[in-house]
Amino acid sequence: MESASQSRQADKAKPLVSIKDIAKEAGVSICTVSLVMNNKDRNRVSKAVVQRVRETAQSMGYKPNSVARTLRTSRSYVLGFITDEIATTPYAGRVLVGAQEAARKLGYILLTVNTGNDRELANQEIAALRQYRVDGFLYAMMYHRVVEIPAELEGSPTVVVDSEDENRKIPSIYPDDEMAGYDATNRLIQAGCKRIVYYGSSITIIAQGERF
């Protein structure tokens, strides 16, 4: 039986499929394949030909050259995920997984860096991510709070995750903690509970007040 390592080595040994190969197999011009694979075929290539080209590309295992695509479109389809400690905290891993899945559905991949709440390190990591020409940033915090956005992110498409920009300039996404508290309490009431105790964190955070 072939091992996983042998299978990977076999895949590496396979020659890369080019649009020239696809054109020859599908019986169309290289220009037609280029239009289809770059999603520029509308009103220029018939639907039947588009389908044939795409099916041929898929069957041949065609994978677009990411470097060439970046040079052509000025987009890397890579997002920088900057976090204080989410990447190293087991209980918060779902935030990272959710971001990764959402990015993948849109054709993006994530480059994740963990700063450990070190502002100087965060600035260095942002500079490093810029070297990869990322298309945007996700600035993610461990818990819901108001944060100062690093000046190094200015001018770049950015979304704050699980926190809020103190200047209210950058879009943010965070849990509805008030509704979470309401739903949790309502379930206890429906279960017949009458004396309900709320335990909060010793740290004053936005989520605690909203849940209460």
Side-chain angles (χ1 to χ4, degrees), residues 123-157:
N123 293 338
Q124 293 174 0
E125 298 289 13
I126 292 170
L129 288 170
R130 286 191 182 281
Q131 294 298 313
Y132 286 93
R133 302 181 60 147
V134 297
D135 291 334
F137 293 90
L138 296 172
Y139 191 64
M141 299 293 102
M142 181 63 186
Y143 60 88
H144 186 186
R145 61 186 187 270
V146 176
V147 295
E148 178 185 356
I149 307 302
E152 287 71 14
L153 290 176
E154 186 174 349
S156 298

Side-chain angles (χ1 to χ4, degrees), residues 6 26 30 45 49 55 65 78 80 100 114-115 119 137 146 197 209:
Q6 289 175 324
I30 295 176
V45 182
V49 171
E55 289 178 348
N65 186 310
V78 177
Q100 183 173 306
N114 206 78
T115 67
R119 178 50 64 92
F137 293 90
V146 176
V197 178

